[in-house]
Amino acid sequence: MKLSFTLISILFCSTGLFAQSALNCDLGLSYHKVETFLGAKSFVTVNYESADRIVARTENHVVTYYFHQEVLYKTDLVVSFANEKDAAETVRSFRNYYDLARAEILDLDTDKDHPRFAALHGREIHEVAQVNLDRRTTQVRQSKMDLDRCPGNDLKELSNDELLFSMLYK
């Protein structure tokens, strides 16, 4: 019973993180569907920068949606926190989510105060990092990319990070 309660708590926290952003959507959607999805969010400021990129903002969240041939292949989520403790809890929630999803996880940095890891789930690579901007602002950044849909330039950029790139070809 205790194990079930613990698993439910972890799942609730993890899904709460994604629901909290309310800007998370699946990769592979068309530009039009993402545009419609964001248009339904009255609390979001949306900037349609180009046919290849949309930026959506709330008070603490910034999500950039990247498109290749009008299909969403990558998102970058940045969440700002007033304290490091909340940011660290968010990073743990991401990690718990990927653990539950049975993703392959690789620690990219060993710095305890600034965790950074990648998760390979199917044909998507996810990278999560905690960054302290100053004494009052800490950000958690999550990037996810569909390896089958991304253009060659992004794969080339990914290959610059040897640890991350090696994860793809174990």
Side-chain angles (χ1 to χ4, degrees), residues 149-166:
R149 291 186 175 98
C150 69
N153 290 341
D154 280 3
L155 279 178
K156 190 175 185 180
E157 186 179 309
L158 184 65
S159 69
N160 291 334
D161 189 331
E162 291 176 12
L163 270 176
L164 192 57
F165 195 68
S166 70

Side-chain angles (χ1 to χ4, degrees), residues 11 15 17 34 53 63 65-66 75 79 81 86-87 97 102 106 125 128 133 146 149 165:
L11 183 60
T15 55
L17 170 69
V34 174
R53 188 167 59 179
V63 181
Y65 304 88
Y66 296 91
T75 62
V79 185
F81 295 91
D86 290 342
Y97 173 82
R102 298 183 190 265
L106 175 67
I125 185 104
V128 177
L133 298 181
D146 185 326
R149 291 186 175 98
F165 195 68

Side-chain angles (χ1 to χ4, degrees), residues 28-48:
L29 295 176
S30 70
Y31 186 95
H32 177 71
K33 285 185 179 180
V34 174
E35 186 177 31
T36 303
F37 168 77
L38 293 172
K41 312 285 185 195
S42 61
F43 58 90
V44 176
T45 303
V46 181
N47 183 11
Y48 299 96

Side-chain angles (χ1 to χ4, degrees), residues 29-133:
L29 295 176
S30 70
Y31 186 95
H32 177 71
K33 285 185 179 180
V34 174
E35 186 177 31
T36 303
F37 168 77
L38 293 172
K41 312 285 185 195
S42 61
F43 58 90
V44 176
T45 303
V46 181
N47 183 11
Y48 299 96
E49 294 188 355
S50 68
D52 297 334
R53 188 167 59 179
I54 299 173
V55 178
R57 289 179 168 74
T58 66
E59 184 177 338
N60 296 324
H61 295 72
V62 177
V63 181
T64 306
Y65 304 88
Y66 296 91
F67 299 86
H68 179 65
Q69 298 176 343
E70 295 189 19
V71 176
L72 181 64
Y73 76 92
K74 178 180 175 182
T75 62
D76 287 327
L77 167 68
V78 178
V79 185
S80 298
F81 295 91
N83 66 61
E84 197 171 335
K85 184 179 178 182
D86 290 342
E89 183 60 37
T90 299
V91 171
R92 279 191 295 280
S93 294
F94 271 114
R95 191 173 191 101
N96 290 339
Y97 173 82
Y98 294 125
D99 278 338
L100 288 171
R102 298 183 190 265
E104 180 182 341
I105 297 175
L106 175 67
D107 288 312
L108 299 173
D109 288 329
T110 56
D111 186 355
K112 184 179 116 179
D113 295 329
H114 302 96
R116 179 176 167 240
F117 69 90
L120 182 62
H121 188 257
R123 292 294 296 156
E124 291 181 7
I125 185 104
H126 301 246
E127 183 180 355
V128 177
Q130 179 179 327
V131 179
N132 293 344
L133 298 181

